[in-house]
Amino acid sequence: GLRAQRGKLLEGETPPRTGKNARGNSEWLLPRLHPGDAPRRYVFQLFASDTGLGLMPGASRDDLLRALRGH
């Protein structure tokens, strides 16, 4: 839902739409790090599409991937 002309989100700015996380809500999940834990790797995915997707807020990852097919 980010217009191409805009090109960025500012630090702390809420995106126009967010999907569901592993717990089924749209909140940011902070990592639970404990002393002595091995280093972790985090992967973020950014998708660009040639059309608006029309997904409802809280759409699942599967909903997103289905809507992206062919775009």
Side-chain angles (χ1 to χ4, degrees), residues 34-59:
H34 302 284
D37 280 356
R40 298 181 185 196
R41 235 177 101 179
Y42 297 93
V43 177
F44 295 86
Q45 289 183 297
L46 175 67
F47 297 95
S49 176
D50 62 347
T51 186
L53 300 179
L55 294 171
M56 297 300 294

Side-chain angles (χ1 to χ4, degrees), residues 15-69:
R17 290 201 182 132
T18 57
K20 292 181 181 178
N21 61 28
R23 292 187 185 158
N25 61 46
S26 295
E27 296 173 9
W28 175 256
L29 297 175
L30 297 174
R32 291 185 183 173
L33 302 176
H34 302 284
D37 280 356
R40 298 181 185 196
R41 235 177 101 179
Y42 297 93
V43 177
F44 295 86
Q45 289 183 297
L46 175 67
F47 297 95
S49 176
D50 62 347
T51 186
L53 300 179
L55 294 171
M56 297 300 294
S60 71
R61 184 175 193 277
D62 287 338
D63 294 334
L64 171 65
L65 295 177
R66 265 193 301 278
L68 282 170
R69 260 187 223 131

